[in-house]
Amino acid sequence: MAPSFWGREARAGGVGGGGMGNGGGTPVVVKMENPNWSISEVEPTDVDPGSPAAGKAGRGKNARQITWVLLLKAHRAAGRLTGAASAALAVAAAARRRVAVGRTDSDAAPGESTALRTRSYLLIRAFLLLSVLLLAVEVAAYFQGWHLQMPELPAGFSAEEGLVAIDGLFAAAYAGWMRVRLQYLAPPLQFLTNSCVVLFMIQSVDRLVLCLGCLWIKLKGIKPVPLAADKDDVEAGADDFPMVLVQMPMCNEREVYQQSIGAICNLDWPRSNFLVQVLDDSDDATTSALIKEEVEKWQREGVHIVYRHRVIRDGYKAGNLKSAMNCSYVKDYEYVVIFDADFQPQADFLKRAMPHFKGKDDVGLVQARWSFINNDENLLTRLQNINLCFHFEVEQQVNGTFLNFFGFNGTAGVWRIKALEDSGGWMERTTVEDMDIAVRAHLKGWKFLYLNDVECQCELPESYEAYRKQQHRWHSGPMQLFRLCFVDIIKSKIGFWKKCNLIFLFFLLRKLILPFYSFTLFCVILPMTMFVPEAELPAWVVCYVPVTMSIMSILPAPKSFPFIVPYLLFENTMSVTKFNAMVSGLFQLGSAYEWVVTKKSGRSSEGDLVALVEKHSAPQRVGSAPNLDALAKEGSLPKKDAAKKKQKHNRIYRKELALSFLLLTAAARSVLSAQGVHFYFLLFQGISFLVMGLDLIGEQVE
C-alpha cells in the first residue's frame, strides 16, 4: 500500500473543502498487482479552472508523487534483476547436477543403435582437439607479432618471405603451416563454401516462393470449398453421412489414451455410420488393460468401438494399420480417418472434412491442421511451434492449393479407402509410412486437399530427448523412401513437372540439401574458415540471409517474434541431429530403422475439459471417468517394475557438447582476426550448443 503520509494528505484534501484545495497535488491510484505495479492519475472534476488551487495543481506533480513513481520503477527493475539472477542460478545448478550425475546419450535404450552416433562424436572430438591446438599456435604467433593472414605476394615469392621477422624453428614451422593453408587447404575449403552458399541461396529462394504463395492465398481468399453445404439433419441421404472407419494406433500411450478416446467417441456423426478401431500395440500389460477397459465403457454407452491388440509389433505403426485394414468388416466402409493417440479432434471434425470428398472422385486425402495444447510449456515447445506453424500455414497450404500434393502428416487426415488400396496399402519398408503412402498415391494420380481452418489438438514433445528421437525418425525416413521410390517416380505416368517437384523439391532440396548445408555451412565450414582465413565466408551469409529466413519462418506465428534469435540458433543446433539422420537413411545405416514412440505428458487444456462437461450428459461423463479400479491394480505392481517404468532423467549429449567447445574455440580465434559478425555468431551458436548438450532447453527432471 502507499505510504501513510499519502493517506493523510488525501484525507486532508477531502475535509478542507474544494476536494483538492489543500491536497497539494494530483491524486494517484496505485494498483499493486504482483508482479507489476501500475499508476493512474485521477483528474479533478470539482475544481474551478480559474481558481488558485487548479493553477497550483496544473504546474506539476508533487515531489512526493514523483518520488513514489521512481520507487515503483526501481522496485520493478529490482524484481526483474532478481528474477534473472534466480533463473541464471537455477540453470547453473541444473548444469552442475547434470555433470555430477554423468548420464550421457551413450547410455542406449534397448534395441537402439549407437554406432553412427559414436563415430560422429569421435570425429567431432578430433576436430575439437585439432582446433584447440591450432588456437594455441595462432595465439602464440599473435603475441610474437607475426601476421595471422597471408599478405598479397608477388609471383615467385614463398610464404616464408611474406612473414615479418621470422627466426627460429617455431617461426619456420608456422611459415610452413601458412604455406599449406594457402596452397592446399584454402582452395578446396573455398570451393565447398561456395557450393554450400549456392545451396543455401536456392533453399532461401524456395522458402521465399512458398511465403509469396501463402500471401497470394491470403489475399485472394483461396481455400478448398465443398461442392455441397453440409447438412445437420441426420435423416439426410447416405451421401451426406458416408460410412467412416476411425483408427487410433497407439503404443504404451498411458498418459493420453483416455482423453483421446473420449474426444473421438464424441464426434458429431451418426453412430451407425462410423466405427472406432483402437489399435493397441502396447507391450505393457497394465496399459493394455486400462485401454481395453476404457473401450468397454464406451461400448456400454452405445458407441461402435472395438479394441485390437497385437502381441508382435511387426512393422510398427504401418504394420498396425495394415493389420487393421485386413479385417473383414472394413469392406463396409468408404473412408478411414487416422488419429494418433494424443490427438483430440473437435466434435464437428467429420462434418467439416467429409463434404470435400463429395463429387470429387479423384480426391484421395483430406488433411487437417494440427494445433498444440502445450505450445507455451517451455522454450523447446515454443520453438517447435514456430516450425510447425510454418509447415502447416505455408508449406502444406501452398502445396495443397497449387499442386494438390503434400506429405501426409500421419494423423488428423481422412483417406478414401479406394485410394489406399489402389496405392498398395500400408508398407513397413520405412519409418515414414505416412509419406510413403502419400507418394505412392500421388504417383497413381490421386489429389490431396489441405484444410487450414480445420484443426485437431495434439501435444508437442516437452523433453529434448523425445524431440531429438522424433526428428531423427522424421529425417532418416525420407531418405530411405527416396532410395526405394526413385525408379518408381521416373517410370510413373504423372507429368514431367510433377516428377521434377517430387525429386528436386520434395526430396532433394527439402529433405537432403537443407540438413546438409545447415550443418556443413554453419557447424563445419564457418569454424574452419576461422583457422583457414584465406577461405572466406561473407558476413551476409552468416547474418543477414539467415535472419531474413527466420523472419519469414516466424510470420505464421507472430506471437513468437521475441524468440526469433533463439529460433535461429535452435535450427542450426538441430541440424546436427537432422544431418546424422539424413546420412543414416541415405546409406541405410542401422539407426535409420529405429522407431521410438514419442513420449507424451497427457496435458489437456482446461477449456476443453469444461466444454466437454457442459456438452455431454452425466452418463457420458461417467463413461470417460478415470478407471480407479485399474489404477489400483497398477498400484499393486512390484515396486521395482513401477520404478523402472516411471524413471525419467536428463542426459548430457556429447556430440552437441563437443560442437559447443569447437564453436567457442573458433569464436576465440575470430577475435584475433577481428571478425565481428563471425565472432558473435560463433559465440551465441556455441552457447546454444552448450545449452542443448547439457539438456537445459526442455523438460527438467528434478
Side-chain angles (χ1 to χ4, degrees):
M1 59 184 297
S4 58
F5 62 81
W6 180 258
R8 288 197 300 270
E9 288 191 5
R11 289 193 295 272
V15 174
M20 292 187 60
N22 300 327
T26 303
V28 176
V29 177
V30 182
K31 299 178 180 179
M32 308 178 68
E33 301 175 357
N34 288 329
N36 296 323
W37 299 14
S38 60
I39 303 174
S40 59
E41 295 185 4
V42 180
E43 298 294 337
T45 57
D46 55 349
V47 178
D48 184 3
S51 65
K56 181 178 180 181
R59 283 194 296 268
K61 292 184 176 181
N62 188 287
R64 289 176 177 174
Q65 298 171 17
I66 297 175
T67 302
W68 180 243
V69 171
L70 294 177
L71 286 173
L72 287 179
K73 291 184 176 181
H75 179 272
R76 180 179 295 178
R80 289 177 176 174
L81 288 175
T82 303
S86 300
L89 290 175
V91 170
R96 186 173 62 252
R97 288 196 305 270
R98 207 81 77 247
V99 174
V101 172
R103 185 178 287 112
T104 69
D105 57 345
S106 61
D107 306 327
E112 183 180 2
S113 173
T114 60
L116 178 63
R117 190 168 60 197
T118 302
R119 287 195 295 268
S120 301
Y121 167 67
L122 293 176
L123 184 61
I124 294 172
R125 190 171 66 174
F127 272 109
L128 172 61
L129 296 175
L130 180 60
S131 66
V132 172
L133 177 62
L134 291 178
L135 178 62
V137 171
E138 298 290 358
V139 170
Y142 179 81
F143 284 109
Q144 288 292 331
W146 301 332
H147 291 181
L148 292 173
Q149 200 167 4
M150 283 298 298
E152 294 291 335
L153 300 177
F157 279 75
S158 65
E160 289 84 351
E161 297 176 49
L163 291 173
V164 178
I166 294 182
D167 56 356
L169 181 61
F170 181 79
Y174 184 72
W177 157 243
M178 292 193 69
R179 183 172 65 253
V180 170
R181 200 171 71 187
L182 178 64
Q183 297 179 359
Y184 302 105
L185 297 181
L189 181 59
Q190 188 65 59
F191 174 78
L192 182 60
T193 301
N194 295 339
S195 301
C196 286
V197 169
V198 171
L199 296 177
F200 180 35
M201 295 309 300
I202 293 174
Q203 196 274 333
S204 300
V205 171
D206 174 62
R207 179 149 295 203
L208 177 61
V209 170
L210 286 173
C211 290
L212 292 176
C214 183
L215 179 62
W216 180 262
I217 291 172
K218 295 294 183 184
L219 293 176
K220 295 296 183 178
I222 302 173
K223 67 177 183 178
V225 178
L227 294 182
D230 189 21
K231 300 177 182 179
D232 292 331
D233 184 10
V234 296
E235 300 297 330
D239 291 341
D240 296 297
F241 297 100
M243 300 294 287
V244 177
L245 179 67
V246 183
Q247 294 181 330
M248 289 187 63
M250 58 179 62
C251 179
N252 298 324
E253 310 281 2
R254 175 182 308 205
E255 298 83 4
V256 295
Y257 75 92
Q258 193 172 46
Q259 57 199 29
S260 298
I261 292 177
I264 290 173
C265 289
N266 283 301
L267 287 171
D268 188 8
W269 200 256
R271 290 191 172 182
S272 60
N273 287 28
F274 85 103
L275 170 69
V276 181
Q277 283 183 320
V278 178
L279 311 176
D280 183 23
D281 263 5
S282 302
D283 55 8
D284 175 52
T286 303
T287 302
S288 296
L290 291 171
I291 297 173
K292 185 176 182 180
E293 191 153 351
E294 182 70 15
V295 169
E296 292 172 352
K297 285 185 177 182
W298 282 104
Q299 287 175 342
R300 292 193 292 270
E301 295 296 328
V303 177
H304 291 182
I305 181 172
V306 295
Y307 173 83
R308 285 177 53 86
H309 180 261
R310 294 195 310 161
V311 179
I312 302 176
R313 291 180 57 205
D314 289 339
Y316 301 109
K317 181 179 176 181
N320 199 359
L321 294 171
K322 181 179 179 180
S323 173
M325 293 299 292
N326 290 330
C327 295
S328 59
Y329 52 78
V330 172
K331 66 179 183 298
D332 299 329
Y333 296 86
E334 188 178 356
Y335 303 95
V336 58
V337 191
I338 301 172
F339 293 111
D340 281 351
D342 60 316
F343 278 72
Q344 303 169 47
Q346 300 295 326
D348 62 349
F349 179 89
L350 291 178
K351 284 193 171 183
R352 298 180 67 185
M354 297 306 300
H356 292 275
F357 287 101
K358 189 174 183 180
K360 304 175 183 177
D361 295 335
D362 57 348
V363 173
L365 168 67
V366 172
Q367 173 72 58
R369 178 174 179 161
W370 299 359
S371 60
F372 309 105
I373 295 173
N374 58 338
N375 58 349
D376 58 352
E377 182 64 27
N378 53 45
L379 179 59
L380 179 62
T381 58
R382 291 179 185 273
L383 299 178
Q384 291 179 68
N385 181 61
I386 296 173
N387 252 340
L388 291 171
C389 282
F390 181 85
H391 170 70
F392 286 105
E393 184 80 19
V394 180
E395 292 179 341
Q396 297 291 76
Q397 187 170 209
V398 170
N399 290 325
T401 300
F402 296 108
L403 301 175
N404 291 124
F405 168 72
F406 47 81
F408 174 45
N409 294 117
T411 179
V414 186
W415 277 96
R416 190 188 298 270
I417 294 181
K418 183 180 178 181
L420 286 177
E421 294 173 346
D422 184 46
S423 306
W426 298 104
M427 293 186 179
E428 309 99 324
R429 56 183 183 172
T430 71
T431 58
V432 284
E433 74 295 325
D434 45 10
M435 185 181 294
D436 188 357
I437 189 65
V439 170
R440 286 186 280 118
H442 181 57
L443 295 181
K444 290 290 185 178
W446 292 96
K447 294 182 179 180
F448 301 166
L449 294 180
Y450 173 71
L451 307 181
N452 194 53
D453 56 347
V454 179
E455 297 185 356
C456 188
Q457 282 193 332
C458 62
E459 285 190 14
L460 292 167
E462 295 182 6
S463 70
Y464 179 58
E465 179 184 12
Y467 179 67
R468 198 168 179 260
K469 291 179 178 178
Q470 180 197 68
Q471 292 301 303
H472 186 279
R473 176 164 54 87
W474 285 5
H475 286 82
S476 65
M479 289 298 96
Q480 302 173 37
L481 180 60
F482 181 62
R483 287 171 55 102
L484 294 170
C485 70
F486 177 75
V487 176
D488 294 334
I489 295 174
I490 298 298
K491 293 181 178 180
S492 67
K493 297 180 180 180
I494 61 174
F496 173 76
W497 293 112
K498 289 186 177 181
K499 292 181 182 180
C500 292
N501 172 68
L502 264 179
I503 294 174
F504 295 107
L505 290 181
F506 187 77
F507 279 114
L508 291 182
L509 182 60
R510 297 168 187 166
K511 303 298 188 293
L512 188 149
I513 291 177
L514 177 57
F516 171 78
Y517 88 75
S518 296
F519 172 72
T520 307
L521 189 61
F522 297 111
C523 300
V524 177
I525 292 178
L526 180 57
M528 289 181 68
T529 56
M530 297 299 101
F531 296 100
V532 186
E534 291 80 9
E536 296 182 356
L537 185 61
W540 58 268
V541 176
V542 177
C543 180
Y544 306 120
V545 176
V547 169
T548 304
M549 292 300 103
S550 297
I551 291 175
M552 287 195 295
S553 300
I554 214 168
L555 285 176
K559 293 183 179 180
S560 301
F561 261 100
F563 302 95
I564 185 169
V565 174
Y567 171 72
L568 172 61
L569 300 174
F570 173 74
E571 281 299 287
N572 290 334
T573 307
M574 285 305 302
S575 67
V576 182
T577 298
K578 296 175 182 179
F579 177 81
N580 185 67
M582 181 268 293
V583 171
S584 66
L586 187 63
F587 296 103
Q588 300 292 291
L589 303 178
S591 60
Y593 296 96
E594 292 177 1
W595 181 287
V596 181
V597 178
T598 305
K599 296 297 181 183
K600 315 295 192 310
S601 61
R603 300 185 186 278
S604 181
S605 62
E606 183 179 349
D608 292 337
L609 295 178
V610 172
L612 188 65
V613 170
E614 293 176 349
K615 180 176 179 180
H616 301 289
S617 61
Q620 288 177 320
R621 292 199 302 271
V622 172
S624 61
N627 186 356
L628 299 181
D629 294 336
L631 291 177
K633 295 178 183 177
E634 178 184 354
S636 63
L637 287 174
K639 293 183 178 180
K640 183 182 295 185
D641 294 341
K644 184 177 180 180
K645 291 180 181 299
K646 296 180 179 180
Q647 187 177 13
K648 295 175 64 177
H649 49 257
N650 296 104
R651 298 171 181 261
I652 292 177
Y653 296 95
R654 301 178 301 164
K655 196 163 27 181
E656 284 84 347
L657 213 55
L659 274 169
S660 167
F661 296 135
L662 174 62
L663 293 174
L664 293 175
T665 303
R669 172 61 181 85
S670 69
V671 173
L672 302 180
S673 52
Q675 297 184 1
V677 173
H678 298 72
F679 165 74
Y680 287 112
F681 183 90
L682 287 166
L683 175 64
F684 290 116
Q685 192 64 67
I687 294 174
S688 175
F689 270 104
L690 182 64
V691 170
M692 306 282 266
L694 294 175
D695 198 4
L696 298 173
I697 187 174
E699 180 185 18
Q700 300 299 303
V701 181
E702 295 295 337

